[in-house]
Structures are given as structure tokens and as C-alpha cells.
Amino acid sequence: MKPTQLAGLTREELLAFVNEGELASELLTLCELTDDVSLAEKWSSHITGPSPWEHQFPDDVAVEIRQQLVSALLTRPTDAQPKLTLIDELLDHAAGTPLPAAEHPLMHKEMGLGDGDEVHWSGARPDRVDQLKVLIIGAGLSGIAAARRFKRLGIDFEVVEKADASGGTWYHNTYPGCGVDIASHYFSYSFACNPHWSRYYAKQPEILAYLRSYLADEGLKPYMRFNTEVISATWDEADQVWVVETRTNAGEVRQIRANVVVSAVGLLHRPAIPDFPGLADFEGVAMHAAEWDHSVSLEGRRVALVGTGASGNQIGPAVAPVVDRLTVFQRSPHWNVGVDNYLQVVSAGERWLLEHVPAYERWFRARTLLSQNDVMRPAQVVDPAWQAEDGSISENNARMREILTQYIADELGDRQDLLPKVLPDYPPFSKRMLRDNGWYRMLRRDNVELVCAANLSFQPDGIVDAEGVKHPVDVAVFATGFEASKMLASYSVYGRGGVSIRELWGDDDPRAYLGIAVPRFPNFFIMYGPNTNIGTGGSIIFQAETWSRYIADLVKTMAERDMTVAEVTEQACAAYNEQLDDRLSEMVWSVSPAGTWYRNRHGRVTTNMPWTTFEYWAMTQQIQLGDFSFDATERASSGTSLAR
């Protein structure tokens, strides 16, 4: 039966939509709809990579693919679930090179096929679950993912959030130009794919709307307590529960007793502002990018942008056209990569395909994922035998330096005098690789000045640079990042024997098993914990799904085995971190001389994981019971009540 969404459309109207689609995804869609892999075998040699522009289809082949796709859309159902055997065959054609078979289950999940990575009870739901309570701290994208898992398992849970609404970083960061640097059609939950994105790289309002829309659709909001800050979490040894002290913005203090605590407070949520001399005496407006004051108009003002990282790269081009003068203070330049569709809106035809042809949405997401995950990893791995005067770490890294340098030179146009100032002297990928928001074209504007200075001081009406030059300033914007290495610093955590997490980690040397569990902190699980950030390309939403699945699976295992406590062993945590540090030593972030928030003050990488996205996903698919010590229910104090 022809789908209702195609009813009334002529062949010519369908062809107009299809002509705006991405050819490789259309070929794969055609093969799925016709259950015929031979067309991919015939034409996929023209696919040269996973990005939308990575193909070399001859014009006559492109016409043939699109004509056949229109015929399939008119004659075949578009909402049928495909056979996984067909999907597996097509995956080997999706990016121009075969995909390892071990990675196919990950792709099935991301394409919304099969059971995904849902966590289910092995049999009947255990009665003991009625006595179990989980507390989730944080209502950002990780907290939402965790809440969904426990709701679907029927486990009692509560989410506390210090802000007055959900959304996490996408609620707090509202600065001009704020947006994602991972392609939108992958930057969404696999269980809530969004075919409606208006841009290929969405901006903050649309991302926040997506998260809140899913929150409402899943019915999660009633479980959330907003305006509630966690002060401390303390393990009660006698009752084997966590006692979590919270305080509302009205000053009401409450103690919550929970069997399990999931910390989903995020990594980049504590703004860092350097202690600039004289800042307290500055009479203008000063604000961090993550605490944007929308009551302040920048129109016609003299604005200082302090910092040129990811936030600064988005703010600068967004405000330069409206300010009187923009002075950019740069401590060190960043590498920027140009992405063809970064600033583009999704065409009407492609959006129609995404919204009305599920197979197309699946393949477009799959190819988007393959274009993001670890795609630049070869240029980030150190070649011990490589030697070069430019500081590159490998042949691939040196080649990337050449490509990026040429891109920067091209973008600067007639302002080649800026090249020495904006060209980094460290290997690409030492810091976060930035998507170019029009940074170099912004620097060419007459009302923009770039000042290379690390040591700044403030006066009541301006900023003095390292050369002693004063720059008049009305508004100072700090795009100076976050306290990334100081994890779990927003509240106190006390484990067995009253040990503090700060005693174990110090200020900036956090370690955890899989980045999730810490010895001496039973039933306490971290999302976006130590060494779980993606440094080689990928989606943090994918990571949130991975963490939440692992934690939910562990809690389910505890309940089914009648265990009250799960605590990772010292040996397992140490072995994992030894392996992690060995792999980290092979990555550019560990050897580069560049300063980066990936490393702590001692030079150890504490934020990024050295694994590929697939490797980490595979590590978390099964609970290694031997890595945990468990306490059975009968060892816990009887009759423990859990205050609500």
C-alpha cells in the first residue's frame, strides 16, 4: 500500500524533492526499499567517503538513481522494517569502504533498528525493585538519558536540578552564535531521532527545544525537582544508602535517601575566569560566555572578546556586525576547519525526505555518524618514528597541517598580514578542533582588531595588553572556558569511611573505572566522568546513551541478583587506568606543547578518552562482574525506609 504521505504527489513533485537529497543516502535508500543490494554493488564505487559531498557519481548515474528512487517511493511501502541482513550488506557500501562486522550492532542501534541497546529485565520484574530508589543529579542531556532508562525499567527515581528548567549546557549557554559542532542529525538520541532539524549544524534554541520536546514526550518532567542544588552526598554505611542533602533557591534544606546516585552534572559547567589584575575595578559590563546577560545591548558598543576557543569562535562572527568595535584578545591561536554545510539550512527537499522516508532518515544518520566518529583520528595518533621541524606528530598530522594552513590563508584573503598571528605553532588536534564560524573573515573587518596577549590587566574603562597599550572597552566578554579537570566540584561527596572524592582526586586528577565508577564510592555512578570526553570526533549524546545504558544495566543486575551494593574494586580501577594511560601516551594531547583544557596542571590528560567511539561502546556492553564487589541484601540493615 502506498504511504499516505505520498498520496496526491505527482512523479514530478517527488522528483523535485529527491533532487535535493544526498545521493549516497538515496542509493542506500533505494537498495533498502527494493530489497536489492546489487544496485549498491553496481554504483557504490562512486562513494568516496561518508560526508555528503564525498562522492563522484557521474551525471547519468545520479539521474538513474533518483528516477529509480522515485519509482520505488511510488510503488513500495516506505514504513516497512528492513531485514538486518540487508542492512549489514549495505553498511559495507555506506562510506565507500567496508565497515567491520563488529561495528554493525552499534550502527543498528543508531539507525533505530532492532531493540537498539534497551535494558530489559531478564525475566519478571523482581519484587525487590519496589524498595529501590535512584537519585539523578542534573537534568541535562545525560540526566534525561538516565531518567528514561529507569522510567522504562519501572525503577523509582528522582531528578534534582539546580537550575529552574531542564537542558543543562544547552539551557545555560545562550550567547550569540551558540550552536553545536557535531552534525545535528547525529547530535540527537538514537531513540528519538529528529528529522526536523532546520540546519545541518543546529543552533542553541533548536537544540534546547529538541531536548525539552523529548522530555515532554517521554513524560519525564514530573520526576524532576528544579531549583534544587545538591550540597553533599554521603554514604550511610549502616543502612547502605546515600544521604543527599539538597537546598532549594528558597533556602529549604532536604535530605534524600537513595540506594543509587547517578551524577549527571556534566563536565563543562563551571565557568573559568582568569584572575586579571584590576578586573574588580572595571566599570563596564563583564560577563562569561556561559552567563550571557541579554539585557545588555552590544549595538554600537566597544566590546572586548577575551578568548578564542570554541565559544569565542562563535561569538565573534555573530557580534562583529553590530558592535562599534570588537577587540579580540588572543592568548594562542586555534586551528579551525572549514565544513561545507556548517552554516547551511537543510533544503526543503532534503527535509521532506528526512521527515517522510524513514529509510532515507536512517541512512542519512548512519552516514552522518560515520563522517563524525573518529574520522580524523589517524592525524591524532603519534608516530614514534616521525620527525619533523614543524612539530607534527605523524605524516597524517603534517598533511592536516598543510590543509588547514592553506584554508586559513584562503579565508584571510587580502589580509595575509594576519597569518603569523592566527597560525598555530603546535600540531593540529592538540586543542579542540574548531568548526570555522567565519572567524578569519571576521578578522578582516575594519571594526575588528586582533591583539595577541596573554597577560592582560583591567582599568575602569578599558584593558591594557602586554605591550602596555590601552584598549577602551564598554563590554568585556570572557570566552575563557570551564574548570574541566576539577570534576564533581559543585558538591561534596563522601564515600566509605567518610573519604572525600577530593581526597582521592585532589583538585584536578580524577580517575574512574570506565569513567563511571570509583572505588570506595559504592552505588555512585558518574556520567561524563574522567576520560570520557570525545577528542577524536563523535557525539556526546551517543556517550550519554552509552553511560546511561551501562549504569541501568548494572542497577538491573544488582536487583536481579538481590545485591544491595555494587562497588568497583581497586584492582579493576587501577588496571583500567593503567591501560587508559598507556593509550593516552599515543595521542597528540599527551605530547603536544600546547596548553589545553584536556590536561591538568601536571600534564596528565584527564578529560579525553583514548579509545575510539566503538571501542568504548564495546567495553560497556557487558558488566564485568569480577570487577565489582557486591553486598547481598541480607547484609544490609533491615527495614530501611527511603525518604521521599
Side-chain angles (χ1 to χ4, degrees), residues 7 81 181 462 538 557 575 609 618:
Q81 280 289 98
D181 60 2
T557 301
M609 66 178 188

Side-chain angles (χ1 to χ4, degrees), residues 276 279 282 284-289 292 296-298 300-308 312 315-316 319-320 323-330 439 442 447-451 456-459 461-465 470-480:
F276 293 113
L279 178 57
F282 179 59
V285 176
M287 55 185 167
H288 191 276
W292 197 269
V296 176
S297 172
L298 300 186
R301 310 288 290 277
R302 298 168 300 181
V303 177
L305 177 61
V306 182
T308 56
I315 293 169
V319 305
V323 303
D324 174 58
R325 185 162 189 81
L326 178 64
T327 305
V328 179
F329 293 94
Q330 172 185 272
W439 182 256
M442 174 206 72
N447 69 330
V448 176
E449 179 184 5
L450 177 64
V451 178
L456 305 178
S457 62
F458 279 73
Q459 293 185 357
D461 57 351
I463 298 176
V464 178
D465 64 28
K470 182 178 178 180
H471 304 268
V473 172
D474 302 312
V475 180
V477 175
F478 298 106
T480 46

Side-chain angles (χ1 to χ4, degrees), residues 565-643:
V565 172
E567 179 182 352
V568 69
T569 67
E570 298 274 4
Q571 296 83 354
C573 188
Y576 173 80
N577 277 274
E578 182 178 356
Q579 183 186 13
L580 179 141
D581 285 341
D582 285 345
R583 282 288 294 275
L584 279 172
S585 68
E586 303 170 1
M587 305 303 296
V588 62
W589 327 300
S590 293
V591 301
S592 173
T596 171
W597 59 265
Y598 296 158
R599 294 196 300 258
N600 66 10
R601 55 183 170 163
H602 303 294
R604 178 177 175 268
V605 175
T606 59
T607 56
N608 289 4
M609 66 178 188
W611 329 114
T612 66
T613 296
F614 169 72
E615 286 175 327
Y616 185 71
W617 177 81
M619 288 177 185
T620 61
Q621 289 308 290
Q622 282 192 323
I623 306 297
Q624 301 299 321
L625 296 178
D627 290 345
F628 288 84
S629 61
F630 295 91
D631 284 351
T633 301
E634 57 266 23
R635 292 181 55 188
S637 299
S638 60
T640 299
S641 65
L642 301 179

Side-chain angles (χ1 to χ4, degrees), residues 88-99:
D88 287 337
E89 289 185 86
L90 292 177
L91 281 171
D92 283 339
H93 298 275
T97 55
L99 186 71

Side-chain angles (χ1 to χ4, degrees), residues 327-641:
T327 305
V328 179
F329 293 94
Q330 172 185 272
R331 184 175 59 178
S332 62
H334 285 254
W335 291 106
N336 278 264
V337 62
V339 178
D340 287 2
N341 62 352
Y342 184 72
L343 299 175
Q344 292 179 10
V345 298
V346 180
S347 67
E350 182 143 68
R351 187 161 174 176
W352 185 91
L353 286 167
L354 289 163
E355 292 176 343
H356 296 98
V357 184
Y360 183 84
E361 194 276 335
R362 278 193 286 273
W363 286 110
F364 189 84
R365 179 180 174 91
R367 281 179 45 78
T368 301
L369 178 156
L370 294 171
S371 75
Q372 307 284 303
N373 278 6
D374 304 295
V375 67
M376 295 182 180
R377 186 180 181 87
Q380 295 173 269
V381 178
V382 176
D383 178 358
W386 179 257
Q387 293 184 342
E389 293 184 0
D390 63 2
S392 57
I393 60 166
S394 67
E395 183 178 359
N396 284 320
N397 189 265
R399 176 60 182 149
M400 183 58 66
R401 184 187 185 96
E402 293 175 4
I403 293 171
L404 295 175
T405 298
Q406 186 60 56
Y407 173 78
I408 294 171
D410 291 344
E411 287 293 297
L412 287 174
D414 59 0
R415 289 299 310 273
Q416 294 301 305
D417 58 296
L418 290 172
L419 188 59
K421 291 185 176 182
V422 300
L423 191 64
D425 60 359
Y426 52 82
F429 304 104
S430 300
K431 301 172 183 278
R432 181 175 177 178
M433 179 63 69
L434 305 182
R435 301 287 195 266
D436 185 17
N437 283 258
W439 182 256
Y440 304 107
R441 298 187 184 198
M442 174 206 72
L443 293 175
R444 293 162 54 183
R445 294 178 60 93
D446 291 338
N447 69 330
V448 176
E449 179 184 5
L450 177 64
V451 178
C452 299
N455 299 315
L456 305 178
S457 62
F458 279 73
Q459 293 185 357
D461 57 351
I463 298 176
V464 178
D465 64 28
E467 302 298 321
V469 177
K470 182 178 178 180
H471 304 268
V473 172
D474 302 312
V475 180
V477 175
F478 298 106
T480 46
F482 301 86
E483 296 178 359
S485 285
K486 195 171 184 179
M487 298 183 190
L488 295 185
S490 60
Y491 61 95
S492 301
V493 187
Y494 302 97
R496 286 196 189 276
V499 63
S500 165
I501 198 74
R502 295 267 74 85
E503 292 178 49
L504 265 62
W505 288 356
D507 276 344
D508 61 358
D509 194 25
R511 297 173 187 266
Y513 172 81
L514 296 175
I516 295 173
V518 183
R520 301 171 69 182
F521 292 83
N523 294 10
F524 184 88
F525 307 119
I526 308 167
M527 302 181 72
Y528 215 165
N531 298 106
T532 58
N533 187 57
I534 307 166
T536 58
S539 167
I540 204 64
I541 287 186
F542 179 96
Q543 293 289 86
E545 289 188 39
T546 299
W547 303 322
S548 64
R549 195 216 63 82
Y550 183 87
I551 294 167
D553 194 18
L554 182 53
V555 173
K556 181 212 77 166
T557 301
M558 291 168 57
E560 290 184 335
R561 291 172 177 262
D562 210 23
M563 300 294 184
T564 301
V565 172
E567 179 182 352
V568 69
T569 67
E570 298 274 4
Q571 296 83 354
C573 188
Y576 173 80
N577 277 274
E578 182 178 356
Q579 183 186 13
L580 179 141
D581 285 341
D582 285 345
R583 282 288 294 275
L584 279 172
S585 68
E586 303 170 1
M587 305 303 296
V588 62
W589 327 300
S590 293
V591 301
S592 173
T596 171
W597 59 265
Y598 296 158
R599 294 196 300 258
N600 66 10
R601 55 183 170 163
H602 303 294
R604 178 177 175 268
V605 175
T606 59
T607 56
N608 289 4
M609 66 178 188
W611 329 114
T612 66
T613 296
F614 169 72
E615 286 175 327
Y616 185 71
W617 177 81
M619 288 177 185
T620 61
Q621 289 308 290
Q622 282 192 323
I623 306 297
Q624 301 299 321
L625 296 178
D627 290 345
F628 288 84
S629 61
F630 295 91
D631 284 351
T633 301
E634 57 266 23
R635 292 181 55 188
S637 299
S638 60
T640 299
S641 65

